[in-house]
Amino acid sequence: MPVVQATGGLADKVSDTNHAEQPDAERAGFTFEDGNAAGLESAVEPATGLWYKYPRHCHQPRPNGMRQDCAWNRSGGHCLSIFNHPRA
């Protein structure tokens, strides 16, 4: 289960299991804002707590994250279309 800093593409792809607006079936991990030890701990603590207290619930976010298309083919193609777009 991913634990990521909510920045850039990671913020777009990993919706927090505890705090996201998406339905539970779409949540994919744990996120933190501040790029320091306290920020990381704010995400690792609930992730490990979930694992130890409710291990069955840890199985849902994992496939949710794996179903997401994070390949550069899609993102790169989108960037190329922006650069190749004719200017007015």
Side-chain angles (χ1 to χ4, degrees):
M1 178 175 337
V3 175
V4 302
Q5 185 175 5
T7 183
L10 293 173
D12 296 336
K13 295 293 182 185
V14 179
S15 54
D16 193 86
T17 299
N18 287 334
H19 305 290
E21 295 178 5
Q22 290 90 349
D24 288 347
E26 296 175 14
R27 297 178 185 187
F30 292 87
T31 62
F32 61 96
E33 297 291 328
D34 297 328
N36 55 33
L40 178 59
E41 186 177 351
S42 73
V44 170
E45 190 173 294
T48 55
L50 181 67
W51 177 260
Y52 285 111
K53 293 178 185 175
Y54 307 101
R56 288 190 347 219
H57 296 294
C58 288
H59 299 293
Q60 184 62 46
R62 196 175 322 149
N64 292 347
M66 293 172 70
R67 277 193 298 271
Q68 296 201 21
D69 180 9
C70 298
W72 277 106
N73 295 343
R74 182 175 172 199
S75 299
H78 178 69
C79 288
L80 286 175
S81 71
I82 292 170
F83 288 116
N84 291 328
H85 184 71
R87 297 179 189 188

